[in-house]
Amino acid sequence: MEPTPLSTLIARYLNEELSEEETAQLWETLRQGQGQDAWEEALLALLQDKTRHGQADAERMEQIYASIRPADTPEAPIARRRRWLYPAAAAVLALIIATAAFWRFRPSPPLAGHTTAPLHQVMPGGNKAVLILADGSTITLDSTANGMLAQQGSVQVVQVGNGLLAYKAGGNHTAGAVQYNKLAIPRGGQFRVTLPDGTNVWINAASTLRYPTTFPGADRTVELTGEAYFEVAKMPEKPFHVKAGNMDVLVLGTHFNVMAYTEEAAVHATLLEGAVKINTAGGGTALRPGQQLRMDQAGQVSVVNNVDVDEIVAWKNGYFQFNHEKLPGVMRQIARWYDVDIAYEGNIPDREFGGKISRNSSIEEVLKILELSKIHFRIEKKKIIVIP
């Protein structure tokens, strides 16, 4: 039997009419580097079909993309120019996604007789942290075996597993002076800690969390710089406070994310579940799930409704996820996770980005996707230079 023409396979695949055997034939052909033009033409025709999705619905575009990409292909960001206002813009943007996906699963041609190692020192982050005990001594957790690490009063400090620290109270944990520990996460790191009350905290790169080894008083208070996601243990008689700069997040038991990097334009507190009250110099603000409070560097407070909570906690779930994020914001996240410095040659390109990609991706994969928007990069040891 004659093989089915590639253009027919693509058209039937996009209309969900392919058999398993024909689907396998299509993806094998694409993986061999054949038919890219036919693939892109078919995608563009689909995306311009108003009867399926309409021209300007970006959310629907992403749903269509998710339905047509192969199951083993990582998702790739959409690259946007801010002033695209023409009717075909949405179709072009989604085509960029598909082209990025094609590039990702198309194998590079083999090198003749040898492989080359990267010339730079940029690697994805991982589980890294330094624990600073009450007496000032330090423990580098990523190079320390699991088990009990220290005894802080009546509390045992235990490394439970890769990337997880826990505090286990025993005996009379209300006696004696309160001791404080600090968990410092470097650039290129992340870690999780279970506090003595059972609260779980995921801490992002370039962040620190200071907390007592017990909570004997009338409340539970921790201090954060950087970013962390909290799942607070419910103790109605003992409220939980997160102090981040000039913001105090007050909760009884709930799930929320606080982003308080000093290099960002504002501190964000986002509620996923339960209820919180956020106290600032301007007073108290109660949040409902799906709301985000933003406080800029001048102390001005605003509340945003219906935020994309998946985007907010993407870092915790192993992704970068952007929604109309400008290039400097994208590069700051890359700098923190890949432990690199960022420099710009010339003016900073006026671009916005959307979509998501795994934080396990190599830096080459991330930059190749960003380059689809006509931005170029050069890596020099531990520095990424952006070239318009």
Side-chain angles (χ1 to χ4, degrees):
M1 179 183 298
E2 288 288 329
T4 306
L6 178 61
S7 59
T8 302
L9 286 177
I10 291 173
R12 291 177 58 196
Y13 178 74
L14 296 179
N15 287 293
E16 301 181 356
E17 297 173 354
L18 275 194
S19 65
E20 291 185 7
E21 181 180 353
E22 289 173 320
T23 300
Q25 178 188 338
L26 171 61
W27 292 128
E28 181 60 28
T29 302
L30 293 174
R31 286 192 179 91
Q32 291 172 359
Q34 303 173 23
Q36 181 177 4
D37 290 342
W39 171 250
E40 293 181 0
E41 288 174 6
L43 282 175
L44 185 57
L46 171 70
L47 295 171
Q48 289 176 331
D49 185 352
K50 291 184 179 182
T51 64
R52 295 196 180 210
H53 49 73
Q55 289 282 6
D57 186 347
E59 181 178 354
R60 180 58 181 148
M61 289 297 173
E62 294 191 18
Q63 292 172 357
I64 293 171
Y65 168 63
S67 72
I68 64 179
R69 70 184 179 87
D72 60 349
T73 302
E75 294 188 47
I78 311 166
R80 298 184 176 92
R81 290 180 182 268
R82 288 191 70 187
R83 290 181 292 276
W84 279 1
L85 299 175
Y86 302 102
V92 175
L93 294 179
L95 177 60
I96 289 173
I97 299 182
T99 305
F102 178 90
W103 184 90
R104 292 290 297 278
F105 67 70
R106 176 180 176 179
S108 301
L111 297 176
H114 67 87
T115 59
T116 58
L119 299 178
H120 57 76
Q121 305 166 11
V122 183
M123 299 296 292
N127 293 321
K128 302 174 186 177
V130 174
L131 174 64
I132 305 170
L133 300 174
D135 62 2
S137 60
T138 61
I139 302 172
T140 303
L141 298 180
D142 40 300
S143 61
T144 303
N146 294 341
M148 191 176 83
L149 305 180
Q151 184 83 32
Q152 299 278 273
S154 61
V155 177
Q156 292 182 345
V157 185
V158 181
Q159 184 156 245
V160 179
N162 187 25
L164 175 59
L165 187 71
Y167 285 74
K168 299 184 176 180
N172 183 9
H173 57 271
T174 62
V178 176
Q179 300 186 66
Y180 285 86
N181 286 184
K182 181 185 290 186
L183 198 56
I185 317 300
R187 292 201 311 180
Q190 63 183 10
F191 226 79
R192 176 183 165 193
V193 59
T194 300
L195 299 177
D197 65 338
T199 291
N200 287 300
V201 188
W202 287 256
I203 311 172
N204 204 354
S207 304
T208 61
L209 185 73
R210 182 177 182 268
Y211 50 89
T213 59
T214 62
F215 294 110
D219 61 17
R220 300 167 286 166
T221 299
V222 302
E223 300 171 24
L224 172 70
T225 61
E227 183 168 26
Y229 172 79
F230 295 82
E231 292 185 353
V232 176
K234 292 184 178 180
M235 299 177 67
E237 76 288 353
K238 188 175 289 192
F240 192 98
H241 294 260
V242 178
K243 294 186 179 296
N246 295 322
M247 177 184 292
D248 178 6
V249 183
L250 169 64
V251 303
L252 297 176
T254 190
H255 299 178
F256 61 98
N257 191 88
V258 177
M259 190 278 289
Y261 289 110
T262 56
E263 65 269 25
E264 298 292 341
V267 177
H268 295 172
T270 309
L271 181 63
L272 283 79
E273 179 182 313
V276 300
K277 182 180 180 181
I278 301 177
N279 296 310
T280 65
T285 304
L287 294 187
R288 300 188 306 273
Q291 289 186 317
Q292 180 183 85
L293 183 140
R294 300 176 181 177
M295 183 175 67
D296 65 20
Q297 295 178 351
Q300 297 297 312
V301 172
S302 62
V303 174
V304 180
N305 296 313
N306 301 317
V307 297
D308 184 351
V309 295
D310 289 338
E311 177 190 353
I312 300 303
V313 298
W315 68 268
K316 167 185 169 288
N317 297 326
Y319 289 94
F320 296 107
Q321 185 164 336
F322 306 114
N323 182 15
H324 293 284
E325 185 68 51
K326 293 185 178 181
L327 181 62
V330 172
M331 298 311 296
R332 286 194 296 271
Q333 290 198 39
I334 289 173
R336 289 191 286 260
W337 182 241
Y338 288 90
D339 186 17
V340 292
D341 295 323
I342 306 296
Y344 295 86
E345 288 189 353
N347 296 327
I348 298 175
D350 187 17
R351 303 287 192 276
E352 291 184 346
F353 297 85
K356 70 180 181 179
I357 185 171
S358 170
R359 296 217 303 180
N360 290 326
S361 300
S362 70
I363 192 62
E364 289 86 358
E365 290 175 309
V366 175
L367 297 183
K368 278 290 185 182
I369 292 171
L370 296 179
E371 283 179 341
L372 291 170
S373 63
K374 311 302 182 185
I375 300 170
H376 303 285
F377 303 88
R378 185 172 72 250
I379 304 177
E380 297 179 355
K381 295 184 179 179
K382 296 281 283 184
K383 177 185 287 188
I384 297 175
I385 301 169
V386 182
I387 308 169

